[in-house]
Amino acid sequence: MKVTLSALDTFESSFTPLVVIELAKDVKDETKEWLKNRITMKKKDGGAQLLFRPLLNKYEKETVENQNLYLVGASNIRLLLGAEAVGLVKECNDNTMRAFTYGTRHNFKEFDDNNDDFLTMAERQFIIKHELENLRARDEKMIPGYPQAKLYPGKSLLRRLLTSGIVIQVFPLHDNEALKKLEDSWYTGFNLKYQPIDGIRGYFGETIALYFGFLEYFTFALIPMAVIGLPYYLFVWEDYDKYVIFASFNLIWSTVILEVWKRACASMTYRWGTLVMKRQFEEPRPGFHGVLGINSVTGREEPLYPSYKRQLRIYLVSLPFVCLCLYFSLYIMMIYFDMEAWALGVHENSGSEWTNILLYVPSIIYAIVIEIMNRLYRYAAEFLTSWENHRLESAYQNHLILKVLVFNFLNCFASLFYIAFVLKDMKLLRQSLATLLIMSQILNQVVESLLPYWLQRKHHVQVKKKVQALKADIDATLYEQVILEKEMGTYLGTFDDYLELLLQFGYVSLFSCVYPLAAAFAVLNNFTEVNSDALKMCRVFKRPFAEPSASIGVWQLAFETMSVISVVTNCALIGMSPQVDALFPESKTDLILIVVAVEHALLALKFILAFAIHDKPQHIQLKLARLEFESLEALKQQQMKLVAENLKEEGGKEKAT
């Protein structure tokens, strides 16, 4: 008799699998039973009260190699209670955005007791992740079957299982039908159209949707720069004094687009509910370790680590290592200039077409070396930041981003600054900038999307052949999906994607008056980047867990900092032009003072523009103010009710006496 994956002899057979937990192959049975009990146990008893079952039942394990894969889901009521616990914000029938509560569920738009689609699949998976991460040790001193895996009250069980190697990975499942609909409206056909940002948010969550929204916005914002830069490139190449207008436009453009993005971002995240979502107190990150103690804020038992030890690690180890890497990057840069001088010498001696091509070879090699160094340094930065032992995930991310940004900025732009302000060779600057920009875009497209997609397709074919041989014994549709997805790469977040856009923004804005065509190349790249990144999210990596976000975070500050630096570099380049230099033949001091004065005036204009453009549209400000007012009124009424009840109790006691 053919046994199907859904034919389970438990009451849990009908639940929709949302999350997969993969255990190590040699995990003991008592550990599996303990984990199952903790996941399915009632909340009041310290469990997560979720649905849990193995991917393969006891009959199917006889025909298929034993896979330690388990499916996790939840009833609709449990998910709604979880939505209240995590503070999800939904739209009410009166068009306001409010935190969802189960008791007032009928006040929310599109809610129906028989409708399972009130919560998106991404939200349901986020709720399950939250519940699994908040499974905490109670009286257990160790994980059953593993005496070396110590536990203490309040410790996150899932994090301990992951760090002990008992749990290999936890990932959300794709919804193949919903994914196909999203792909059809997103990137199949390669048509020039707006992205379905709300659909991306519904499937992948707000963090991913904000990245694609910013990518689309930034691409369209580059078009005016590309259109204006094209005639400058074609007709007035050497007249640097005419680039004053272009550089001034660059200043206004870079300021306005970043401020307008804040407004667009606020409108989107208000509509999604994350702008008004209350932030919970951050738990310690998984890798944080220390001596067990009591947190003075929460009163919970957790590891404590002295801050002075962390500071010693940062200043005595991390900082010197970063400086050493920066020195090594500059050393590689000087080798590149030696190669440039050699290629130029060969070309001047022979002057053939082959040697003309040879002039571009050093820049191409240097661009490849830069990409390799950036990736190697990223691994080192992650190791160092983890070793520094930051308690909060936000602190870990901030220190990691700072390390990576400093190195990437120097590695990618140091040679351009050296050519511009030391060698003062504008022809070589244009050539190097064009080569670095184009090569970095090509390499990123290949390494991030095309190569992983090709490898994933090969693996997909192998799994299909393996599963075909099993179809005589099981209905392998779900089995095949889980096996395919568990072998996919893990999407590590939007860090690399934002970093790529930041470097691109630097290439476009820092030296715009020397290479106005940079924006046009960036636009062409980003139109393909949208499709390749979409392909990467849908077909190359596992589905990431949704993460609520109200903005692009620290990257907004990074882009604004880059735009400030671009004002300084463009003013300096214009001041160095022969036409401007000829106006001050006797006193270079006057030229420097005038350039500095203009630069300060432009920076002042930039900050005035940033101040004048509000971060949130007025209608969003009014809605947020009204929501805050209503919250205060509700708090007052609650306090008055408590006072009235206390007075009533005291009056009853007096009558009794």
Side-chain angles (χ1 to χ4, degrees), residues 491-509:
Y491 182 65
L492 299 176
T494 55
F495 184 97
D496 288 326
D497 298 313
Y498 278 119
L499 180 61
E500 184 182 345
L501 287 180
L502 179 66
L503 295 178
Q504 185 186 90
F505 181 67
Y507 286 128
V508 170
S509 61

Side-chain angles (χ1 to χ4, degrees), residues 169-231:
Q169 59 179 333
V170 180
F171 63 92
L173 274 173
H174 275 293
D175 181 341
N176 289 326
E177 184 179 345
L179 181 62
K180 185 67 172 66
K181 290 180 181 178
L182 178 61
E183 288 177 314
D184 291 340
S185 63
W186 193 1
Y187 70 91
T188 54
F190 292 95
N191 297 321
L192 294 178
K193 57 186 178 184
Y194 289 106
Q195 297 178 89
I197 301 298
D198 287 333
I200 298 169
R201 176 254 172 180
Y203 193 85
F204 289 110
E206 289 80 14
T207 299
I208 305 295
L210 279 175
Y211 163 69
F212 281 100
F214 182 74
L215 173 59
E216 180 180 83
Y217 172 84
F218 182 57
T219 302
F220 282 103
L222 282 168
I223 292 177
M225 282 288 290
V227 171
I228 294 174
L230 193 61

Side-chain angles (χ1 to χ4, degrees), residues 151-162:
L151 292 173
Y152 53 84
K155 174 69 177 175
S156 171
L157 296 181
L158 182 62
R159 293 175 178 180
R160 191 70 185 95
L161 289 165
L162 285 166

Side-chain angles (χ1 to χ4, degrees), residues 597-640:
V598 170
E599 172 243 316
H600 278 60
L602 291 174
L603 284 174
L605 174 62
K606 176 181 176 61
F607 292 124
I608 290 170
L609 282 172
F611 179 77
I613 302 173
H614 291 290
D615 292 351
K616 299 180 182 70
Q618 189 172 6
H619 69 281
I620 299 294
Q621 294 180 44
L622 288 173
K623 289 178 179 178
L624 292 174
R626 189 180 299 119
L627 188 63
E628 185 178 357
F629 173 75
E630 291 175 357
S631 297
L632 290 172
E633 288 296 307
L635 183 62
K636 287 179 183 178
Q637 291 179 5
Q638 187 178 6
Q639 290 174 340
M640 290 174 65

Side-chain angles (χ1 to χ4, degrees), residues 460-499:
H460 195 161
V461 171
Q462 293 172 359
V463 172
K464 272 190 171 294
K465 287 180 180 178
K466 182 179 177 181
V467 172
Q468 286 292 332
L470 303 172
K471 286 198 173 179
D473 301 305
I474 64 171
D475 179 7
T477 305
L478 180 59
Y479 176 78
E480 178 183 345
Q481 179 186 353
V482 174
I483 296 301
L484 275 173
E485 292 185 21
K486 87 179 186 71
E487 296 297 334
M488 286 180 169
T490 301
Y491 182 65
L492 299 176
T494 55
F495 184 97
D496 288 326
D497 298 313
Y498 278 119
L499 180 61

Side-chain angles (χ1 to χ4, degrees), residues 339-451:
M339 292 173 61
E340 283 282 2
W342 171 80
L344 184 61
V346 172
H347 176 67
E348 288 176 349
N349 290 331
S350 61
S352 65
E353 291 184 5
W354 289 106
T355 57
N356 195 36
I357 297 173
L358 183 66
L359 290 174
Y360 290 91
V361 171
S363 295
I364 293 172
I365 294 174
Y366 185 52
I368 296 172
V369 170
I370 282 176
E371 289 299 318
I372 295 172
M373 289 173 62
N374 284 344
R375 294 181 186 280
L376 291 176
Y377 177 81
R378 170 72 185 275
Y379 293 123
E382 287 176 347
F383 174 80
L384 270 179
T385 311
S386 180
W387 178 73
E388 290 167 4
N389 198 26
H390 296 279
R391 178 186 178 274
L392 301 180
E393 184 65 28
S394 58
Y396 171 84
Q397 290 295 333
N398 289 338
H399 280 80
L400 176 62
I401 288 173
L402 180 61
K403 288 185 183 72
V404 174
L405 283 184
V406 169
F407 182 81
N408 277 258
F409 182 84
L410 186 74
N411 203 27
C412 294
F413 299 114
S415 62
L416 301 178
F417 279 100
Y418 186 83
I419 295 169
F421 301 114
V422 178
L423 300 181
K424 299 182 180 180
D425 187 340
M426 297 302 136
K427 184 177 180 181
L428 179 59
L429 179 61
R430 288 195 297 271
Q431 174 189 312
S432 299
L433 178 57
T435 307
L436 288 174
L437 174 64
I438 295 168
M439 284 301 299
S440 65
Q441 291 175 346
I442 293 172
L443 289 171
N444 281 320
Q445 294 278 4
V446 172
V447 173
E448 289 185 6
S449 300
L450 299 180
L451 181 60

